[in-house]
Amino acid sequence: MSLATCWKTATQMNADLRSVLISRLGSVDYHARMRVLVVEDEPRVASFVARGLRDQGFAVDVAEDGNAALFQSSISDYDCIVLDLSIPGVDGMEVCRRIRRDGRATPILMLTARDAVHDRIAGLDAGADDYLVKPFAFGELVA
């Protein structure tokens, strides 16, 4: 699921909110209003992803570990979460499970170096909406 698809999914969850956004934003690019939480412990990767998303007009927060991701996702409404699996503290798989267990339907895109089929299946079974393997083309992330 691309970030554009995450936005569509999030806005479809509440038709009234979507109507308000459209009436207020008019022709403004919807990326400018989309909030994304990037959960990545590798500073260079986190910086690359966050900078690229900001250049595309997204509002981006970064969490460096699972505990920070759970905290930030509990106090802020994100339109999408980009989640690495291999993060310190609570791992990405468990972060995803807890977000879903708490009843939050925020779209989650797992972005990880784990490319085995069983890892992909486990990620989707944990509640992720999509799974993108590193290395990746940035255009694929925002498509």
Side-chain angles (χ1 to χ4, degrees), residues 75-135:
I75 64 167
S76 297
D77 291 326
Y78 291 100
D79 296 299
C80 189
I81 298 173
V82 178
L83 178 62
D84 185 16
L85 292 180
S86 301
I87 52 177
V90 180
D91 74 1
M93 202 72 73
E94 184 61 22
V95 168
C96 186
R97 283 189 201 100
R98 289 185 190 182
I99 287 171
R100 294 299 184 238
R101 187 179 61 222
D102 291 346
R104 288 177 275 153
T106 305
I108 297 173
L109 169 68
M110 289 192 172
L111 179 63
T112 181
R114 296 186 195 172
D115 63 352
V117 172
H118 69 273
D119 288 323
R120 293 178 193 193
I121 292 169
L124 296 171
D125 285 348
D129 296 283
D130 205 352
Y131 195 103
L132 184 61
V133 177
K134 297 174 190 173

